[in-house]
Amino acid sequence: MIPNLRGRRRHAETPAPGLIAGNRRTSGPVQRIARRLIARHGFTFAGIVVGLWFLSGLASAANAANASVFLEDQTWTELRDRINAGTTTIIVPIGGTEQSGPAMALGKHNVRVKFLAEKIAGQLGNALVAPVISYVPEGTIDPPSAHMRFPGTITISDEIFEQLLASAARSFRLHGFKTIVLIGDHGGYQADERHVADRLNAEWSKSPVRVFAALQYYQITQGAYVDKLLSAGARQSEIGTHAGLADTSLMLAIDPSMVRKDRLAAAPKLDAGDGVYGGDPARSSAEFGQLGVDMIVSGTTEAIREFARQQPK
């Protein structure tokens, strides 16, 4: 018997169940495209699904890049288009690689400043975040001073650090950014940030581009955050200046994997010999730290907005 090829062809070209609702064809855009492809080119429904899935994946990837505030997630054309559309503020997060006692990882500043910079950029709405600068002044090598007395700390000179910041700022100006914001998570280079901003702003006085050393970011951790901790039940003797309760709590709120919780309260008590200065991290908590996160993000965001309001057009 000769097979009914015409019948098979009609069956093969019948739209899949998703394209017909009862006796009436559905009219969504995907269904209309699928019907045309089936009628004109003999594509199978499965092939169409795979094709549409692939295209939707490309669209999702593009949307993810546009949703990210991190410069390094963009292609150069995506970045160009975002700058042309009005995203002309770039935040330069500055961290540091240094010891923070036996209970906190060496990359504390880098992880923390990236997290907070992302939050600040999100609140601003017209800002991107540059890659974290993780090589910063940390003391001398010969003889070793400050945190350089502990393995893992990396240092560069103040001169090289300021040149690095200035070169980054010049790069951002070249590509169309108008407001270049420096935020530093470490106290040791706050003056360097201000020096760079002052020099470049004087040099660029006849252009609309400005550099803002957002020192408020760090000042909040030393003032308003401490006051908030005290009102929330922390003791002055616990807060410390480095790797104490205030510092460690911020890290617990942002990335607890960076903190060795089993070492916080274990004997012997951590002290200056361990790299913990002026405090006790034993009662550190994410709840304490979140107080600082909220204050740093809101306070720094408002400082940047105020700077932008005063910026020449």
Side-chain angles (χ1 to χ4, degrees):
M1 180 181 292
I2 299 174
N4 185 351
L5 296 178
R6 292 182 65 187
R8 287 190 180 183
R9 181 174 178 81
R10 285 196 300 270
H11 178 73
E13 292 182 355
T14 300
L19 299 180
I20 295 178
N23 294 322
R24 182 182 59 183
R25 292 176 181 272
T26 57
S27 58
V30 174
Q31 287 87 349
R32 288 198 296 272
I33 293 170
R35 284 202 302 273
R36 291 193 197 105
L37 291 173
I38 290 169
R40 296 179 185 177
H41 306 289
F43 291 165
T44 66
F45 180 71
I48 293 170
V49 170
V50 171
L52 293 175
W53 173 81
F54 177 74
L55 291 173
S56 68
L58 293 179
S60 296
N63 289 337
N66 288 332
S68 173
V69 298
F70 294 114
L71 180 104
E72 52 203 323
D73 289 342
Q74 317 295 312
T75 68
W76 77 264
T77 53
E78 290 165 348
L79 178 61
R80 174 201 62 198
D81 293 346
R82 290 185 73 165
I83 293 171
N84 290 340
T87 300
T88 56
T89 296
I90 184 79
I91 298 172
V92 183
I94 310 165
T97 306
E98 67 175 25
Q99 74 83 20
S100 286
M104 203 146 41
L106 292 159
K108 170 196 75 179
H109 285 305
N110 303 322
V111 171
R112 191 158 71 198
V113 77
K114 183 176 183 178
F115 176 93
L116 294 169
E118 180 182 20
K119 297 294 184 186
I120 293 165
Q123 287 204 3
L124 289 170
N126 66 337
L128 293 176
V129 178
V132 174
I133 294 176
S134 58
Y135 292 79
V136 305
E138 293 281 4
T140 59
I141 294 175
D142 187 19
S145 64
H147 297 309
M148 290 305 297
R149 296 176 294 112
F150 299 84
T153 306
I154 303 170
T155 194
I156 62 175
S157 70
D158 290 273
E159 179 183 8
I160 291 173
F161 177 66
E162 291 189 12
Q163 289 174 354
L164 173 59
L165 293 183
S167 292
R170 293 183 192 282
S171 300
F172 297 133
R173 178 177 184 260
L174 172 66
H175 298 310
F177 288 101
K178 304 299 184 187
T179 306
I180 302 160
V181 181
L182 309 177
I183 60 172
D185 204 69
H186 184 323
Y189 47 66
Q190 298 293 303
D192 296 299
E193 293 177 57
R194 188 177 63 251
H195 294 160
V196 170
D198 290 346
R199 283 201 302 270
L200 291 179
N201 287 335
E203 180 182 334
W204 298 342
S205 62
K206 295 182 179 179
S207 85
V209 182
R210 291 292 181 270
V211 180
F212 178 40
L215 305 185
Q216 294 86 346
Y217 174 100
Y218 185 74
Q219 291 166 356
I220 290 167
T221 68
Q222 305 303 297
Y225 174 42
V226 172
D227 294 339
K228 195 75 170 179
L229 286 173
L230 293 173
S231 66
R235 296 186 290 272
Q236 185 69 57
S237 60
E238 296 176 302
I239 290 172
T241 58
H242 178 79
L245 179 141
D247 198 2
T248 307
S249 292
L250 274 178
M251 200 69 253
L252 284 171
I254 291 168
D255 186 352
S257 71
M258 300 287 287
V259 180
R260 312 299 184 250
K261 295 180 183 178
D262 58 341
R263 185 63 188 89
L264 288 180
K269 177 182 174 181
L270 298 175
D271 58 21
D274 300 300
V276 176
Y277 302 139
D280 181 1
R283 288 203 311 132
S284 300
S285 72
E287 291 73 22
F288 277 150
Q290 191 61 47
L291 300 173
V293 168
D294 294 339
M295 298 179 76
I296 294 167
V297 171
S298 61
T300 307
T301 300
E302 182 51 39
I304 295 169
R305 284 177 176 154
E306 179 60 28
F307 178 83
R309 283 192 286 268
Q310 299 174 9
Q311 201 167 333
K313 305 301 180 185

